[in-house]
Amino acid sequence: EAGVAQSPRYKIIEKRQSVAFWCNPISGHATLYWYQQILGQGPKLLIQFQNNGVVDDSQLPKDRFSAERLKGVDSTLKIQPAKLEDSAVYLCASSLDDTRGSEQYFGPGTRLTVT
Amino acid sequence: KQEVTQIPAALSVPEGENLVLNCSFTDSAIYNLQWFRQDPGKGLTSLLLIQSSQREQTSGRLNASLDKSSGRSTLYIAASQPGDSATYLCAVRQQGTYKYIFGTGTRLKVLA
């Protein structure tokens, strides 16, 4: 079974530029999560999708971050414009569904450096 | 508001030692707790998932326990090996929101 795929693996941009990340979850997984992990910290949930609907985006900085999951499969996360403090690893995860017992599976992450 | 704490932040042990990693959470209204391993520059690998109705889960040399009423979970690693060196993270799934809240992790180094 293929795992969660993410691209690119690394990205370096200057502040005020825009960037987009892509995630393809495990086939058949209805729930998709985007996390931000700053160095030395645990992952922080940015947005959670159930199929193509948003379940939780309470910690997404909506003035600069946006995400979509068209057709309920793959997803993109965009930052526009980027700030220095956005430097982090962006992790995508998926789970079979949104039920209480569902296990999360993570992709390798995208390391973003904003200079 | 749920807060998840992991102590210690870092740990170095000689190879072969048995060790315990701790995870504490402030709100016992959880669905489950999941332990992950993260290698440098990599994503998270799921180790064990404990449902709120369970007391422990075992996989190979790993054993995770859950005491929901006291807000604690421990990850026990038997006969540690240098390959176990990584950061270990715990996450609780919050009732109601279904959101996962992560701890800051314990960075483990097993010395050969």
Side-chain angles (χ1 to χ4, degrees), chain A residues 31-49:
Chain A
T31 308
L32 185 147
Y33 313 80
W34 281 104
Y35 289 90
Q36 180 193 59
Q37 186 177 25
I38 292 173
L39 188 65
Q41 299 182 16
K44 180 184 85 172
L45 180 70
L46 293 175
I47 189 166
Q48 177 179 339
F49 292 95

Side-chain angles (χ1 to χ4, degrees), chain B residues 16-86:
Chain B
E17 197 162 292
N18 302 325
L19 57 100
V20 174
L21 306 181
N22 297 294
C23 173
S24 301
F25 47 96
T26 55
D27 185 349
S28 62
I30 64 171
Y31 286 131
N32 61 48
L33 184 145
Q34 198 166 355
W35 281 94
F36 295 89
R37 167 187 174 135
Q38 187 172 32
D39 294 284
K42 302 279 180 66
L44 279 67
T45 301
S46 178
L47 297 173
L48 290 164
L49 172 70
I50 311 177
Q51 305 296 349
S52 61
S53 58
Q54 296 175 321
R55 298 285 287 184
E56 64 180 312
Q57 281 285 341
T58 298
S59 176
R61 295 183 294 109
L62 305 179
N63 176 276
S65 67
L66 175 64
D67 184 344
K68 206 172 68 161
S69 60
S70 66
R72 290 182 193 169
S73 176
T74 60
L75 179 67
Y76 175 83
I77 303 177
S80 58
Q81 303 170 358
D84 295 330
S85 299

Side-chain angles (χ1 to χ4, degrees), chain A residues 9 33 35 37 40-43 45 48 55-56 58-59 91 95 97-104 106-108 111, chain B residues 31-32 34 36 38 40-49 51 89 91 93 97-105:
Chain A
R9 291 295 312 279
Y33 313 80
Y35 289 90
Q37 186 177 25
Q41 299 182 16
L45 180 70
Q48 177 179 339
V55 174
D56 189 320
S58 57
Q59 298 190 97
L91 295 163
S95 62
D97 53 35
D98 202 26
T99 59
R100 58 192 66 188
S102 216
E103 189 170 350
Q104 285 187 106
F106 280 80
R111 182 176 298 276
Chain B
Y31 286 131
N32 61 48
Q34 198 166 355
F36 295 89
Q38 187 172 32
K42 302 279 180 66
L44 279 67
T45 301
S46 178
L47 297 173
L48 290 164
L49 172 70
Q51 305 296 349
L89 292 150
R93 189 163 209 186
T97 65
Y98 293 96
K99 185 186 298 188
Y100 276 97
I101 311 293
F102 278 83
T104 53

Side-chain angles (χ1 to χ4, degrees), chain A:
Chain A
E1 174 182 83
V4 177
Q6 289 188 250
S7 67
R9 291 295 312 279
Y10 306 92
K11 191 75 177 178
I12 301 174
I13 62 172
E14 295 181 353
K15 59 183 179 185
R16 291 186 291 273
Q17 286 187 325
S18 62
V19 64
F21 311 128
W22 174 82
C23 172
N24 193 21
I26 293 173
S27 178
H29 280 196
T31 308
L32 185 147
Y33 313 80
W34 281 104
Y35 289 90
Q36 180 193 59
Q37 186 177 25
I38 292 173
L39 188 65
Q41 299 182 16
K44 180 184 85 172
L45 180 70
L46 293 175
I47 189 166
Q48 177 179 339
F49 292 95
Q50 178 71 7
N51 296 308
N52 59 348
V54 176
V55 174
D56 189 320
D57 64 356
S58 57
Q59 298 190 97
L60 186 74
K62 298 180 186 65
D63 57 333
R64 298 183 302 106
F65 285 64
S66 64
E68 60 182 12
R69 190 184 184 197
L70 300 175
K71 301 179 184 177
V73 182
D74 56 350
S75 175
T76 55
L77 175 70
K78 296 179 182 177
I79 307 175
Q80 182 179 14
K83 292 185 176 181
L84 296 176
E85 59 260 36
D86 298 332
S87 294
V89 176
Y90 291 84
L91 295 163
C92 179
S94 69
S95 62
L96 190 59
D97 53 35
D98 202 26
T99 59
R100 58 192 66 188
S102 216
E103 189 170 350
Q104 285 187 106
Y105 297 87
F106 280 80
T110 296
R111 182 176 298 276
L112 173 67
T113 302
V114 182
T115 63

